[in-house]
Amino acid sequence: MSFCDFEHLLPRVQKPGRYTGGEPGSIMKDPAQVLLRYAFCFPDSYEVGMSHLGMKILYGLANARADCWCERVFAPWTDMESLLRQEGLPLWALESGDPIKTFDVIGFTLQYEMSYTNVLNMLDLAGLPVRSANRQSLAPLVIAGGPCACNPEPLAPFIDLFVLGEGEEASSELLDLLAAHKRLGSGKADFLRAAAQLEGIYVPAFYDVSYKENGALASITPLHGAPARVRKRVVQNLDQSYFPENFVVPLLEVVHDRTVAELFRGCIRGCRFCQAGFLNRPVREKAPATVNNQCRALCDRTGYEEISLCSLSTSDYTQLPALLDGLLEWTVEQKINVSVPSLRVDRFPKEMMERLALVRRSGLTFAPEAGTQRLRDVINKNITEENVLSTAQQAFEGGWTSVKLYFMLGLPTETEEDIAGIAALAQAVVDTFYRSPGKPKGKGVQVSVSVASFVPKPFTPFQWEAMDGRDDILRKQQLLRAGVRSKKISVRTHDCATSLLEGVLARGDRRLAEVIEAAWRAGARFDGWDEQFDPALWQSCFEGLGLVPAWYLRRRDPSEILPWDHLDYGVTKAFLLRERERAYAGQTTPHCREHCGGCGIGCPAAGA
Ligand code: SF4
């Protein structure tokens, strides 16, 4: 199969550029010269997947090997899927146009739970059985990684193995092992037994799961010599770790189309709702010179005119002034915009704002997350209203006129007063603008309030908490809207049915695989897209299988075995429970640079 086989479909679909490949920076190899063919699959649209840094890193890394050709595959949009099914054409990889069924590895990155039906759909479109047990041969090996791999149980029957934690070193070791087994002509079972011995590799078929009569987990038992607990992988030295010098530059508009600089991994903060903050511990920074060199190489090669300084809380980067000095030396002259997407309001000094103003301004986004100090203390978001307002004032005096504020509804211990506090804080930002003597002349302010529903996630201190049901979510959203009086404030709430399904899948167990498969067979695709998501379809699948979504949203007892208890992300349960108790007591925990909370990850500097 080649590009010619599906070229005739392109005029019949939206955005044909999603399917053609051939973008600058895409890597071509001679298939006869490589041992391993690797289809790196992003289970969402081209525009979403092409914006993802992890995919760019692992694509470059796999292709840096002489023995491997890694290609990109995205979920075909529904129009293309219909045509492929009508014509009996299989899913292909963008670089070669070859069907991915013939590849050695099919790897998915799991960024959000709502992409799970797309994983099944892509396997099916490839012409493969969706269940691992029905794929007998070693090739193609179906693997998955990314943040959702921290509780992969709902996908356990479909995936041959999961990579836990950071993928750079683990995927290299895995490809080495696969190359050796391919040379030997090993079978799938032998390979999986060997792979299960690598740190960070979780083979779900090697764990037997049993349930109590009340539906809770009774036991998780390792088989075939697999470890009782699988520890996540951590790249220790980011300065020495692989980072691409080139990106594939898309030919159509994608969500984020720019150079991305990763300053550090992990987060010092410990916000109690934030899964990324706990999954990615410990903090590891890159040197400013490393970041600067990487940005320069990428801008030179890609022609991008924007660099996004990306990390979980960018302003916590200890060497931000040195980095900005280095970057501004050449970016100002070349008219390259430096943007900082994730800032904490208490760490946005005026000087830094002025330096960012040397390049093109981008919008300001702040995430107070909760409307009152009491609730911000519960979630350990160590910022005050004063921090928010003084930073907003600095921003207004620096010329900014629009501010985005992110909040959550449904946080543990929330009351109506906390919800009213969201509207009050947004109003205080508006009032601050009109009171700022140095505000831009003749301009108004726009404050947009974006409100998500709190979803309790594994490996956080709130992993045992209940999630609000539909009625509570809708009532609270209504209450918030009613509290907003100014036309300068717009409120955007997340779709409640989407959040609820995310909540079910995030803390789900293996039994949910039946529901995911049923929903996919009934037509569920692109569930993260409001226009595609069909809550009634999912509801009927749950009912048909006798599973109750609310059961998965319930509060869990700390003595209960959690579906992810055999996976080890370094942070201990004892620490998470301590943090939960502190949350109930309204006590904050200092960030890691102030005081080590002894989370268990074992920072060398902290000695914990
Ligand atoms: S070991 Fe201490 S310093 Fe390191 S991440 Fe955990 S709490 Fe923070």
Side-chain angles (χ1 to χ4, degrees), residues 267-268 281-283 575 591-593 595-603 606 608:
C267 181
I268 59 169
R281 286 181 176 216
V283 168
F575 168 77
H591 63 69
C592 292
R593 290 194 185 119
H595 175 78
C596 169
C599 73
I601 195 74
C603 286

Side-chain angles (χ1 to χ4, degrees), residues 203-477:
V203 180
F206 291 173
Y207 295 79
D208 187 48
V209 176
S210 66
Y211 301 91
K212 296 179 180 166
E213 259 176 36
N214 68 2
L217 278 169
S219 63
I220 304 170
T221 312
L223 310 168
H224 308 299
R229 276 166 71 77
V230 183
R231 174 96 177 183
K232 74 160 179 178
R233 294 302 292 264
V234 179
V235 173
Q236 297 298 342
N237 187 332
L238 290 182
D239 285 321
Q240 285 165 15
S241 178
Y242 175 85
F243 195 78
E245 293 194 333
N246 200 5
F247 285 174
V248 181
V249 179
L251 299 174
L252 72 156
E253 200 179 325
V254 300
V255 179
H256 300 302
D257 195 8
R258 58 200 179 196
T259 296
V260 184
E262 190 188 30
L263 311 189
F264 61 95
R265 291 188 187 166
C267 181
I268 59 169
R269 296 286 162 179
C271 300
R272 293 176 179 132
F273 58 86
C274 177
Q275 187 183 45
F278 292 98
L279 288 186
N280 295 302
R281 286 181 176 216
V283 168
R284 288 141 297 146
E285 292 195 342
K286 286 185 190 176
T290 308
V291 180
N292 202 356
N293 291 340
Q294 290 173 346
C295 289
R296 203 156 192 157
L298 277 169
C299 286
D300 285 351
R301 285 191 169 79
T302 60
Y304 278 134
E305 292 175 349
E306 181 176 356
I307 299 169
S308 176
L309 302 182
C310 226
S311 281
L312 285 176
S313 178
T314 300
S315 42
D316 284 329
Y317 181 57
T318 54
Q319 312 213 47
L320 200 53
L323 175 65
L324 286 178
D325 282 345
L327 283 175
L328 295 175
E329 257 174 38
W330 56 276
T331 53
V332 171
E333 194 185 311
Q334 296 186 20
K335 297 200 168 37
I336 291 172
N337 181 27
V338 180
S339 64
V340 182
S342 54
L343 288 169
R344 283 185 62 92
V345 292
D346 57 339
R347 294 194 39 102
F348 199 155
K350 194 162 185 209
E351 187 214 54
M352 196 170 93
M353 214 177 286
E354 280 164 4
R355 285 206 234 177
L356 286 171
L358 283 173
V359 291
R360 243 178 19 236
R361 259 181 215 132
S362 43
L364 274 187
T365 58
F366 298 135
E369 308 292 2
T372 61
Q373 195 57 48
R374 185 201 68 80
L375 193 51
R376 285 194 292 274
D377 288 347
V378 167
I379 63 174
N380 205 38
K381 191 89 196 181
N382 286 303
I383 54 172
T384 62
E385 177 159 336
E386 214 261 309
N387 292 146
V388 175
L389 299 183
S390 65
T391 310
Q393 174 156 354
Q394 278 179 41
F396 296 145
E397 298 194 348
W400 272 269
T401 57
S402 71
V403 175
K404 257 194 206 158
L405 299 171
Y406 288 94
F407 293 96
M408 273 184 283
L409 285 177
L411 286 162
T413 78
E414 180 189 62
T415 64
E416 292 194 358
E417 199 182 313
D418 300 307
I419 299 168
I422 296 177
L425 184 54
Q427 184 62 48
V429 173
V430 171
D431 297 343
T432 301
F433 178 83
Y434 288 106
R435 277 202 303 269
S436 300
K439 68 176 183 293
K441 296 219 173 354
K443 291 199 174 166
V445 67
Q446 268 310 316
V447 177
S448 52
V449 173
S450 178
V451 190
S453 299
F454 164 66
V455 179
K457 293 272 174 133
F459 297 103
T460 67
F462 292 155
Q463 66 178 356
W464 297 275
E465 298 303 317
M467 180 174 169
D468 275 348
R470 183 177 177 279
D471 292 348
D472 279 332
I473 293 177
L474 293 178
R475 180 179 59 77
K476 290 177 180 182
Q477 289 178 348

Side-chain angles (χ1 to χ4, degrees), residues 5 66 77 81 143 167 197 216 231 244 267 418 493 538 556 561 590:
D5 295 307
W77 195 251
E81 181 192 340
I143 69 175
Q197 300 306 319
R231 174 96 177 183
C267 181
D418 300 307
T493 52
W538 279 90
R556 316 280 169 105
I561 298 175

Side-chain angles (χ1 to χ4, degrees), residues 3 39 43 80 165 177 189-190 268 281 296 342 368 401 466 488 506 510 520:
F3 183 69
M80 178 57 97
L177 188 72
D190 285 342
I268 59 169
R281 286 181 176 216
R296 203 156 192 157
S342 54
T401 57
K488 303 292 177 193
R510 287 186 183 193
W520 161 67

